[in-house]
């Protein structure tokens, strides 16, 4: 067991966390990054990133996170492998326990950048085809499916937005909707219903994904469990989940203010939480945009807010 003291602890190692580390390192705060259970965040599971500025030919998600990690280390950030399993924000300096007490980090300030995890259906082949057909971000990966058939799972506003976005790229978009109606707003329902490139499959569930090395199709069931049950296959190259995200904030419950969905609440125009000295950045505090570039920008803001907070105290 070791005890590490720092002016700034950063929880999470995605674009927000590493950007915050780069800025706080350059400000001589000597930050400590606790990587979390998936070092590099969600981009580790992304094959190609083409919409992040600077990579004009595109870059593999893991490579981009390796670059960010190396840049943070270059400026003096210290990285700890492991997961934060408990926090004490009741007094400063704050105390963070890593992996049940294997390490203890004592920090003057904390930046929470633990991200959010996409919800999946739990199908056996979802992970097999992750990055080679299965995605939870149409904006990120839709470009790779130009003039190819795809499916979107979900019936809310997000699913409709994803379907409309993909409909301008793909040859055909199936919307796989578990219920007999869409949960989306009326205007979104009308837009997808009127789009000639979108076919809505109501009362339908996906039961399997098929393919050898890449996704080639899906097996769906309509009216499952009834006398009208119908199982059939659809040929698709892309399978997009749009059934929501779960912010990775369970360890912070009761420690800082979270909204009804579990996202960290930040003050308007700031990355500050309700606890002085604790800041939040990236998808963990952003249920709307959830893009690498917006997470990185928020990581920059959190670092600047942290630096100003410490300077004000001094």
């Amino acid at each position: 067991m070791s005890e590490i003291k720092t002016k700034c602890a950063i929880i999470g190692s995605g674009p927000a966390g590493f950007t915050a580390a780069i800025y706080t390192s350059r400000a001589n705060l000597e930050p400590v990054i606790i990587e979390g259970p998936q070092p590099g965040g969600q981009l580790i599971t992304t094959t190609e990133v083409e919409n992040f500025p600077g990579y004009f030919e595109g870059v593999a998600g893991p490579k981009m996170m390796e670059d960010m990690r190396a840049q943070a280390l270059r400026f003096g950030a210290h990285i700890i492998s492991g997961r934060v399993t408990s926090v004490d924000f009741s007094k400063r300096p704050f105390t963070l326990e890593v992996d049940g007490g294997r390490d203890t980090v004592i920090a003057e300030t904390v930046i929470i950048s633990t991200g959010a995890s996409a919800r999946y259906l739990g199908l056996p082949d979802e992970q097999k085809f992750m990055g080679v057909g299965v995605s939870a971000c149409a904006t990120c990966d839709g470009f790779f499916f130009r003039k190819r058939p795809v499916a979107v799972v979900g019936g809310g506003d997000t699913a409709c937005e994803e379907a409309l976005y993909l409909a301008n790229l793909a040859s055909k978009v199936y919307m796989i909707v578990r219920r007999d109606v869409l949960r989306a707003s009326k205007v979104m329902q009308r837009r997808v219903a009127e789009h000639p490139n979108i076919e809505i499959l109501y009362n339908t569930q996906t039961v399997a994904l098929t393919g050898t090395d890449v996704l080639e199709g899906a097996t769906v069931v309509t009216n499952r469990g009834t006398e009208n049950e119908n199982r059939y296959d659809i040929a698709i190259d892309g399978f997009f989940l749009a059934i929501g995200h779960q912010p990775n904030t369970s360890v912070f419950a009761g420690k800082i203010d979270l909204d009804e969905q579990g996202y960290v609440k930040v003050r308007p125009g700031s990355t500050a939480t309700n606890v002085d000295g604790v800041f939040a950045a990236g998808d963990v505090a952003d249920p709307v945009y959830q893009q690498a570039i917006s997470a990185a920008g928020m990581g920059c803001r959190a670092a600047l807010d942290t630096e100003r907070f410490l300077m004000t105290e001094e």
Side-chain angles (χ1 to χ4, degrees):
M1 179 177 175
S2 63
E3 183 176 284
I4 302 168
K5 295 184 178 180
T6 180
K7 291 182 180 178
C8 178
I10 299 170
I11 308 175
S13 57
F18 279 139
T19 302
I22 291 165
Y23 273 78
T24 51
S25 295
R26 285 169 54 84
N28 294 321
L29 300 187
E30 299 177 338
V32 171
I33 307 168
I34 303 100
E35 283 190 308
Q38 185 172 291
Q42 292 188 76
L43 283 180
I44 291 297
T45 64
T46 302
T47 52
E48 194 78 10
V49 179
E50 291 192 328
N51 56 0
F52 198 93
Y55 293 100
F56 65 95
E57 292 183 339
V59 61
K63 169 61 176 169
M64 191 172 86
M65 298 319 300
E66 285 176 16
D67 290 348
M68 286 190 180
R69 189 179 196 274
Q71 192 171 2
L73 289 172
R74 176 193 169 204
F75 291 116
H78 178 62
I79 297 178
I80 298 175
S81 297
R83 178 201 296 259
V84 172
T85 48
S86 70
V87 300
D88 184 356
F89 292 157
S90 63
K91 61 183 184 302
R92 293 184 58 227
F94 307 118
T95 302
L96 314 176
E97 285 198 351
V98 180
D99 288 345
R102 184 203 69 200
D103 296 306
T104 301
V105 178
I106 309 298
E108 291 296 322
T109 58
V110 172
I111 296 175
I112 298 170
S113 55
T114 49
S117 302
R119 292 191 175 99
Y120 292 91
L121 297 176
L123 301 174
D125 289 328
E126 272 180 319
Q127 294 304 312
K128 174 184 176 181
F129 295 117
M130 188 66 62
V132 286
V134 173
S135 171
C137 180
T139 307
C140 308
D141 300 326
F143 185 75
F144 303 110
F145 297 92
R146 287 170 297 173
K147 299 182 180 179
R148 297 158 67 185
V150 301
V152 174
V153 179
D157 279 327
T158 298
C160 289
E161 288 172 4
E162 301 269 86
L164 288 165
Y165 175 80
L166 290 166
N168 293 321
L169 297 169
S171 61
K172 184 178 183 65
V173 178
Y174 295 98
M175 280 194 72
I176 301 174
V177 182
R178 186 186 184 99
R179 301 168 59 183
D180 60 354
V181 294
L182 294 173
R183 293 181 291 104
S185 60
K186 294 297 183 182
V187 64
M188 295 302 290
Q189 290 185 41
R190 189 187 74 250
R191 286 175 181 171
V192 296
E194 293 176 351
H195 201 293
N197 215 23
I198 298 174
E199 180 179 346
I200 306 174
L201 307 178
Y202 289 110
N203 294 314
T204 301
Q205 299 177 51
T206 307
V207 294
L209 300 175
T210 57
T212 305
D213 297 321
V214 299
L215 181 70
E216 297 173 8
T219 301
V220 299
V221 176
T222 301
N223 300 315
R224 190 174 189 178
T226 72
E227 59 181 13
N228 296 320
E229 179 175 307
N230 181 32
R231 180 184 294 246
Y232 59 98
D233 296 326
I234 55 175
I236 54 172
D237 294 327
F239 186 76
F240 291 86
L241 283 302
I243 52 177
H245 285 75
Q246 179 65 45
N248 302 319
T249 54
S250 58
V251 72
F252 307 117
K255 310 294 183 179
I256 55 174
D257 285 349
L258 308 175
D259 69 12
E260 293 179 354
Q261 295 176 290
Y263 288 91
V264 178
K265 287 184 177 181
V266 293
R267 299 171 190 167
S270 170
T271 62
T273 70
N274 66 303
V275 177
D276 289 342
V278 178
F279 304 86
D283 289 4
V284 73
D286 173 22
V288 178
Y289 298 103
Q290 297 186 330
Q291 297 292 303
I293 188 64
S294 58
M298 202 170 179
C300 164
R301 291 169 53 208
L304 296 176
D305 286 344
T306 299
E307 183 183 2
R308 289 166 184 158
F309 175 82
L310 290 171
M311 287 178 64
T312 301
E313 281 209 322
E314 291 175 1

